[in-house]
Amino acid sequence: MQEVTFEINNIEELSKVSDLLISWRDKSNIVAFYGNMGAGKTTLIKNLCSKLGVQDEVNSPTFALVNEYQTDTLDSVFHFDFYRIKSLEEVFDIGYEDYFYGGSLCLLEWPELIDPLMPEHFVKVEITLGETDDSRIVRVSY
């Protein structure tokens, strides 16, 4: 298992994490973001999408479950937010397997809520609060 830990003290430092995630793109097309409400999952996803050349507005798809973005090379990036799901049946209904196993990059918020459906291999991003309100500890592992 590989693991890299970052101490993030300002939003500009998120680029280091995004750069690592892009360099690990060959490890898995699934990147699962773990962290409490307000930890910065969506903020990190916005930074990552920007580095990937996404021009669309990146927002957490809380009610739609999934948003699709296009990179500047016309690759699809799928952004999932499972916070409001009531059952795994909802995830089956959106055809999660087509997304997860279709090869496009899938960015998952609240993946712990669909744990039984998670693929065997994925990149795990854990975000926890640092010593100050503005700092975060970001642990990326595969």
Side-chain angles (χ1 to χ4, degrees), residues 74-132:
L74 301 180
D75 292 319
S76 291
V77 175
F78 296 102
H79 179 190
F80 295 82
D81 184 338
F82 297 113
Y83 183 72
R84 296 198 187 280
I85 66 161
K86 293 175 182 55
S87 72
L88 292 179
E89 198 62 40
E90 290 178 65
V91 184
F92 281 104
D93 288 347
I94 65 165
Y96 85 95
E97 291 167 312
D98 293 336
Y99 295 107
F100 284 19
Y101 301 104
S104 293
L105 183 61
C106 294
L107 309 173
L108 283 53
E109 294 189 53
W110 301 99
E112 59 272 30
L113 298 176
I114 64 155
D115 194 55
L117 305 180
M118 289 297 290
E120 184 177 350
H121 300 289
F122 61 91
V123 175
K124 184 176 188 177
V125 179
E126 299 170 278
I127 305 172
T128 56
L129 297 179
E131 292 183 18
T132 66

Side-chain angles (χ1 to χ4, degrees), residues 23-106:
S23 75
W24 282 14
R25 179 69 176 88
D26 62 329
K27 297 184 182 308
S28 177
N29 66 306
I30 307 290
V31 182
F33 295 81
Y34 294 82
N36 291 334
M37 184 76 69
K41 297 179 295 294
T42 304
T43 301
L44 177 53
I45 288 171
K46 286 179 181 185
N47 184 276
L48 175 60
C49 285
S50 176
K51 284 192 155 271
L52 290 169
V54 170
Q55 300 298 317
D56 303 311
E57 185 175 344
V58 175
N59 288 308
S60 191
T62 303
F63 294 101
L65 286 183
V66 62
N67 286 342
E68 180 178 3
Y69 313 122
Q70 297 290 315
T71 67
D72 52 11
T73 58
L74 301 180
D75 292 319
S76 291
V77 175
F78 296 102
H79 179 190
F80 295 82
D81 184 338
F82 297 113
Y83 183 72
R84 296 198 187 280
I85 66 161
K86 293 175 182 55
S87 72
L88 292 179
E89 198 62 40
E90 290 178 65
V91 184
F92 281 104
D93 288 347
I94 65 165
Y96 85 95
E97 291 167 312
D98 293 336
Y99 295 107
F100 284 19
Y101 301 104
S104 293
L105 183 61
C106 294

